[in-house]
Amino acid sequence: MALKKITIAIDGHSSTGKSTMAKALARRIGYAYVDTGAMYRAVTLFALRNKLIKGEKVDEKALKEHLKRGDIMITFRPTKDGKSVTVLNGKNVERYIRSMRVSNVVSIIAAIGFVRKAMVKQQQAMGKDKGVVMDGRDIGTVVFPDAEMKVFATASAEVRAQRRFDELRAKGDTTTTFEEVLENVTERDRIDSTRKESPLRQAEDAVVLDNSHLSIEDQNEWLYQLYLSRVRS
Ligand code: DC
């Protein structure tokens, strides 16, 4: 008998390795993977490139107009090596959306109600047939409140900052300090959990995963077992 297809929501704090585990699970079970953080990052990149962000101020009127006109088209494209890259208006922007320039202001863009509304609509369309692993902040609470499997990932701020710091170094960024990354992680936590629009919170029926001291392999296995228990129930 074929296993039933479900919706898998993986939410949690930034740099908890949500996308790594969500991607691994999606590949293992043959589901589509959607990185919703990448979508907010792509909108941020668009806003920066079009000079719609000045310091902490966003030209919301202009941004809204661009979204309405369909000037900000975000898709995901699979690569030959089985990965997926974020595409903004036909161009691969994966590298740019992960930069500190974008990381520093993405929370501001993600806190705007009309931006969230537009992204949530796209995400619901992407997952309408189930068989999807979606990671973000509000997937289990807002995008798919009826998801059959919900995980809330967390880890200490220091562990998360170290992971992001190692990632930046691996990508050749030799100037950003650990303290700067830690500050960015802490500040984003604060903005993400205190914003008015869909603040980051754990869904009541989510299973908490604190992976401060878990290996990636153990975490992947834990997730897979949870998936099996949900499709068999
Ligand atoms: O997961 P990430 O670090 O790439 O997310 C980037 C930003 O987008 C982060 O500040 C939280 C926000 N975000 C959100 O508000 N809702 C989502 N579903 C995903 C990300």
Side-chain angles (χ1 to χ4, degrees):
M1 198 183 79
L3 288 174
K4 68 174 174 193
K5 258 206 235 169
I6 63 169
T7 303
I8 302 177
I10 303 192
D11 291 304
H13 292 107
S14 62
S15 302
T16 40
K18 287 191 305 291
S19 51
T20 308
M21 68 172 108
K23 257 182 240 166
L25 178 67
R27 198 172 313 137
R28 185 162 179 184
I29 64 179
Y31 275 26
Y33 162 68
V34 178
D35 175 353
T36 63
M39 297 170 74
Y40 291 98
R41 286 172 179 272
V43 175
T44 305
L45 182 68
F46 179 93
L48 284 168
R49 284 180 172 173
N50 288 276
K51 309 218 170 354
L52 304 181
I53 307 179
K54 302 239 159 61
E56 306 249 303
K57 273 228 154 329
V58 179
D59 184 343
E60 294 198 12
K61 198 163 162 256
L63 183 60
K64 194 173 192 171
E65 196 51 40
H66 280 297
L67 272 170
K68 215 165 91 191
R69 281 207 306 253
D71 294 345
I72 314 177
M73 299 308 295
I74 304 162
T75 51
F76 295 97
R77 185 190 295 157
T79 57
K80 280 191 213 104
D81 53 355
K83 292 189 180 147
S84 152
V85 294
T86 311
V87 174
L88 171 64
N89 298 329
K91 297 238 162 64
N92 175 356
V93 290
E94 195 57 39
R95 202 158 71 87
Y96 307 109
I97 62 168
R98 309 287 166 197
S99 66
M100 281 301 277
R101 184 170 166 243
V102 168
S103 296
N104 283 337
V105 287
V106 61
S107 304
I108 300 171
I109 293 291
I112 302 175
F114 65 80
V115 172
R116 303 203 66 83
K117 224 169 152 186
M119 295 302 112
V120 168
K121 203 169 154 201
Q122 286 192 28
Q123 291 151 13
Q124 287 172 336
M126 290 172 178
K128 70 176 182 357
D129 298 325
K130 299 190 182 244
V132 69
V133 182
M134 203 169 275
D135 88 59
R137 302 292 189 288
D138 58 342
I139 312 305
T141 51
V142 176
V143 184
F144 290 114
D146 297 331
E148 291 85 350
M149 171 169 157
K150 297 182 188 177
V151 173
F152 189 84
T154 187
S156 74
E158 284 73 19
V159 166
R160 291 185 284 131
Q162 187 65 51
R163 288 176 187 158
R164 181 120 318 173
F165 178 75
D166 293 344
E167 248 171 52
L168 287 169
R169 281 286 184 274
K171 281 184 195 150
D173 177 341
T174 53
T175 50
T176 308
T177 65
F178 174 76
E179 285 67 31
E180 281 168 344
V181 181
L182 181 59
E183 199 187 309
N184 177 260
V185 165
T186 317
E187 180 60 5
R188 279 209 290 157
D189 281 358
R190 191 188 64 73
I191 300 180
D192 290 346
S193 8
T194 57
R195 69 182 177 212
K196 267 214 326 270
E197 297 285 340
S198 316
L200 171 67
R201 64 177 177 84
Q202 187 195 321
E204 265 170 35
D205 50 350
V207 184
V208 177
L209 169 66
D210 183 332
N211 64 11
S212 299
H213 307 291
L214 262 189
S215 73
I216 290 185
E217 293 72 30
D218 288 348
Q219 170 173 289
N220 287 348
E221 194 50 35
W222 180 90
L223 210 58
Y224 181 62
Q225 292 304 328
L226 184 63
Y227 157 77
L228 287 181
S229 74
R230 293 301 152 91
V231 287
R232 282 174 181 157
S233 64

